[in-house]
Amino acid sequence: MRECSEIQELLSSYIDDFLEPMEKEKVEKHLENCPQCQKELAELQQTVQMFASLNEEELIPPASFRRELREKLEKAQSKKKVGFGEKVAGFFNNFKLKPWMPLAMAAVLLIVIVPVAMMGLWPSGTTNKEMATDSVAPEIYNSADGEAGMRNFSITSDNYKTFKLAPGASDAGVAQEEQAGVPETVEIERKIIKTGYINLEVDDYKETTGQINTLVEEMQGYIVNEHTYVYDQELSLLAGNVTLRIPEERFNEALNRMEQLGTVLNRSVNSQDVTEEYVDVQSRLKAMRLKEERLLALLGKSGTLGDVLAVENELAKTRADIEALEGRIKYLDNRTELSTINLEIRETLTPVKKIKTTGLQGVMHRFQESFIKSINTIIIGFGNFIVALGAFIPYIILLICGIGLVMILWRKYKNRKS
Amino acid sequence: MFSEGELVTRSQQGDLDAFEDLVARYERKVYTIAYRFMGNHEDASDLAQEAFLKAYQSINKFRGDSSFATWISRIVVNVCKDELRKNKRNLQISLDEQVWLEEGTVEKQVKDTRPTPEQVYEQNELKDYLQSLISGLTPEYRMVIVLRDIQGYSYEEIAQILDCSLGTVKSRLNRARKLLREKIISEQKRGGWE
């Protein structure tokens, strides 16, 4: 039953053939021996076809349509001739102070000021290290440093390879082309579509999905699809699958971190190199654009009606091709910039938790440490605060200017009202 | 007769008559798209006119990268999208909030604007019936159905038009199609049409 509801979520995309190969296979396998889902699919297809039939019908606009449109067009045309100076004047005359405007301004200023203030107040990396050598347990800061490192979007070398294509095979050919002013190498970024699959067993389903959510947000990816269901009614255990898109350069990091969320039952990574196709599509697109230009030039020359029609036909075909190629490039870009991760998560019975006494070890020592740490943080924070105050002053001046502007506009608005 | 390219070039030079020729060629297409979104002739007429007006004002931006038909379709789709979003904002009211009157509080009463079954029966024509189903959907679902199933845009294009993710397009389309199918089937069971 649970598989059916899962499959039915995918049927709509299945009709449009817009599923990942893995999902498609899954759906087809399931459909083979599930009459209920077959029926569902048939009904959905019928519905889609019915609405597609609406596309054939063209409605005729009411009789007054063109006359009204002509009036609007003429009005627009006379307006078009208004000069730039008048436009600016018109803008200020029409300018109305809406209640949200000062708020928006405040928000903008806040957005500018807060990060700066944070930067000023936040204990910077170097102070962390100083403190670490000072008195506080080093392992805490090691982990903090590790996090800071990740925040810097370090790009690992194996994810961002570039390679060079030399068009001329022989040295002589290269030399000749160099003389002609053509760059002899073209740098092409490797395009790889990455797909990962992890099957996880976890203690707490909800907690895990929460962690995944924060993880995805942190990695600047997004969740494509999330599906949860109860797979064991008696014990009310949850299971579900999540599909994520993660920026390509953080794919491995994401996989590794997700693995740590529970027991991994299955993990697979699939990379598909589409560089060749990408280059191919790009060059075909270029060729098509050239062809289009030539056809346009041909169209400019007079010829028999038959000739013109033939060229027009060819042009329409070429443009359709161009659009299809552009679509393909966009699709490839999207697929390679963001990698897909399919997660299957299943909750298992939580083992009874034992009471541990080891948690109390070295309490006094840790108490002392954290006390000293807080005092140090306060002292450093105070110092930073004074520094930040200095950094604030230019913004405060800006703020005053902004408020002044708002006041002037407000007065203008009031005057007009009265 | 001039070719489409010539008409566009002349319109770009400010020739209103040339532009009207283009209008004559595409008014049905544009009007039909607007009608599919809005579900009534007044709004469809207004929005189709607005789309042509916009097209005329920005015709200099049209460089023939796509066909004029594609370009003008995109404009009317965007105009309708904006209108539906605007409507949604204006019309979003809580259905069960309390309204304070002088006599005391009462439950708010809202008119049911969906067509009654009788009205549906009167619309014998299947196409009118389908249109009424579309008009019964919320704007989000209506937009994906019209864009995908009637206009035949790709998922990527829809995501771009609606400014949302592919996943959102997929799930909205899935839900919208399910809703429509359920409506059609329940109607069939009641013996509504056919």
Side-chain angles (χ1 to χ4, degrees), chain A residues 50 122 158 359:
Chain A
M50 259 183 181
W122 219 251
D158 63 337

Side-chain angles (χ1 to χ4, degrees), chain B residues 132-168:
Chain B
S132 76
L133 285 185
I134 296 176
S135 306
L137 292 173
T138 60
E140 281 101 357
Y141 292 154
R142 210 191 296 181
M143 283 192 275
V144 288
I145 286 291
V146 175
L147 289 172
R148 173 70 215 170
D149 287 342
I150 301 180
Q151 296 300 315
Y153 283 100
S154 72
Y155 281 41
E156 283 89 356
E157 285 170 316
I158 297 172
Q160 199 200 339
I161 292 170
L162 298 181
D163 195 20
C164 63
S165 72
L166 279 175
T168 314

Side-chain angles (χ1 to χ4, degrees), chain A residues 110 112-122 384-385 388 391-392 395:
Chain A
L110 211 68
V112 174
I113 286 172
V114 166
V116 173
M118 295 285 271
M119 262 189 280
L121 287 172
W122 219 251
N384 284 337
F385 177 73
F392 266 143
Y395 290 100

Side-chain angles (χ1 to χ4, degrees), chain A residues 271-289:
Chain A
S271 305
Q272 190 191 349
D273 192 340
V274 290
T275 317
E276 206 179 324
E277 194 198 344
Y278 194 82
V279 175
D280 187 39
V281 172
Q282 263 183 336
S283 53
R284 266 164 62 202
L285 188 62
K286 217 188 225 167
M288 281 294 176
R289 288 227 171 94

Side-chain angles (χ1 to χ4, degrees), chain A residues 258-299:
Chain A
M258 275 168 201
E259 272 184 351
Q260 281 157 18
L261 296 175
T263 323
V264 181
L265 296 181
N266 192 350
R267 167 190 162 142
S268 65
V269 174
N270 180 20
S271 305
Q272 190 191 349
D273 192 340
V274 290
T275 317
E276 206 179 324
E277 194 198 344
Y278 194 82
V279 175
D280 187 39
V281 172
Q282 263 183 336
S283 53
R284 266 164 62 202
L285 188 62
K286 217 188 225 167
M288 281 294 176
R289 288 227 171 94
L290 276 177
K291 187 177 167 194
E292 190 195 22
E293 263 170 46
R294 258 181 289 143
L295 284 172
L296 279 175
L298 258 177
L299 205 59

Side-chain angles (χ1 to χ4, degrees), chain B residues 22-105:
Chain B
L22 284 173
V23 171
R25 286 188 194 191
Y26 293 108
E27 60 176 7
R28 288 185 188 193
K29 186 178 175 70
V30 170
Y31 181 76
T32 310
I33 295 174
Y35 183 74
R36 294 289 170 238
F37 275 109
M38 307 312 295
N40 69 69
H41 290 288
E42 293 81 33
D43 286 344
S45 185
D46 277 354
L47 293 179
Q49 284 172 0
E50 197 183 324
F52 276 119
L53 196 62
K54 275 209 170 133
Y56 183 67
Q57 281 163 343
S58 52
I59 190 132
N60 285 320
K61 287 183 201 148
F62 177 71
R63 290 182 310 271
D65 297 337
S66 59
S67 71
F68 189 76
T70 315
W71 189 66
I72 188 82
S73 306
R74 206 51 181 272
I75 292 178
V76 70
V77 162
N78 277 321
V79 166
C80 291
K81 177 195 80 184
D82 291 343
E83 179 69 19
L84 282 174
R85 291 219 171 131
K86 208 162 70 193
N87 266 340
K88 196 180 126 207
R89 222 182 12 253
N90 292 341
L91 292 178
Q92 233 173 26
I93 37 174
S94 170
L95 292 181
D96 43 26
E97 76 176 351
Q98 305 265 312
V99 181
W100 275 274
L101 294 178
E102 279 170 26
E103 303 92 275
T105 60

Side-chain angles (χ1 to χ4, degrees), chain A residues 189-339:
Chain A
E189 196 183 294
R190 190 169 270 195
K191 294 275 175 189
I192 296 173
I193 298 179
K194 286 185 179 172
T195 323
Y197 173 79
I198 302 182
N199 196 339
L200 274 184
E201 224 164 46
V202 297
D203 291 340
D204 187 342
Y205 180 85
K206 278 185 184 148
E207 192 193 310
T208 308
T209 46
Q211 281 168 337
I212 288 170
N213 269 322
T214 47
L215 193 99
V216 168
E217 235 164 70
E218 193 190 307
M219 300 225 163
Q220 289 169 322
Y222 63 88
I223 292 181
V224 178
N225 198 327
E226 191 175 352
H227 179 60
T228 307
Y229 50 87
V230 179
Y231 84 96
D232 193 329
Q233 297 279 4
E234 277 171 51
L235 301 165
S236 73
L237 291 175
L238 293 170
N241 45 50
V242 186
T243 309
L244 317 164
R245 303 292 307 276
I246 296 281
E248 187 258 0
E249 62 268 21
R250 312 192 73 184
F251 178 72
N252 285 334
E253 187 194 328
L255 276 186
N256 291 338
R257 284 177 67 181
M258 275 168 201
E259 272 184 351
Q260 281 157 18
L261 296 175
T263 323
V264 181
L265 296 181
N266 192 350
R267 167 190 162 142
S268 65
V269 174
N270 180 20
S271 305
Q272 190 191 349
D273 192 340
V274 290
T275 317
E276 206 179 324
E277 194 198 344
Y278 194 82
V279 175
D280 187 39
V281 172
Q282 263 183 336
S283 53
R284 266 164 62 202
L285 188 62
K286 217 188 225 167
M288 281 294 176
R289 288 227 171 94
L290 276 177
K291 187 177 167 194
E292 190 195 22
E293 263 170 46
R294 258 181 289 143
L295 284 172
L296 279 175
L298 258 177
L299 205 59
K301 291 174 191 162
S302 54
T304 65
L305 185 62
D307 290 345
V308 171
L309 276 178
V311 174
E312 283 258 46
N313 261 338
E314 195 53 37
L315 196 61
K317 254 189 255 161
T318 314
R319 280 181 178 155
D321 284 346
I322 288 177
E323 267 167 53
L325 291 173
E326 276 172 345
R328 186 70 196 159
I329 283 195
K330 252 178 152 175
Y331 172 78
L332 288 174
D333 275 335
N334 175 284
R335 286 280 127 178
T336 49
E337 272 159 26
L338 295 169
S339 310

Side-chain angles (χ1 to χ4, degrees), chain A residues 5-59:
Chain A
S5 64
E6 197 182 316
I7 292 294
Q8 282 171 10
E9 288 296 310
L10 297 174
L11 284 181
S12 164
S13 305
Y14 177 72
I15 289 174
D16 294 324
D17 198 17
F18 199 77
L19 283 179
E20 312 277 335
M22 215 158 59
E23 289 173 318
K24 194 176 166 184
E25 205 178 300
K26 195 162 135 198
V27 171
E28 277 167 355
K29 228 185 200 167
H30 177 87
L31 279 173
E32 267 174 32
N33 34 31
C34 178
Q36 205 194 337
C37 285
Q38 280 170 15
K39 185 172 166 251
E40 172 105 8
L41 176 67
E43 280 172 3
L44 265 186
Q45 261 165 342
Q46 204 191 353
T47 311
V48 169
Q49 272 163 15
M50 259 183 181
F51 283 97
S53 73
L54 282 180
N55 187 26
E56 291 152 20
E57 191 191 34
E58 279 210 329
L59 301 168

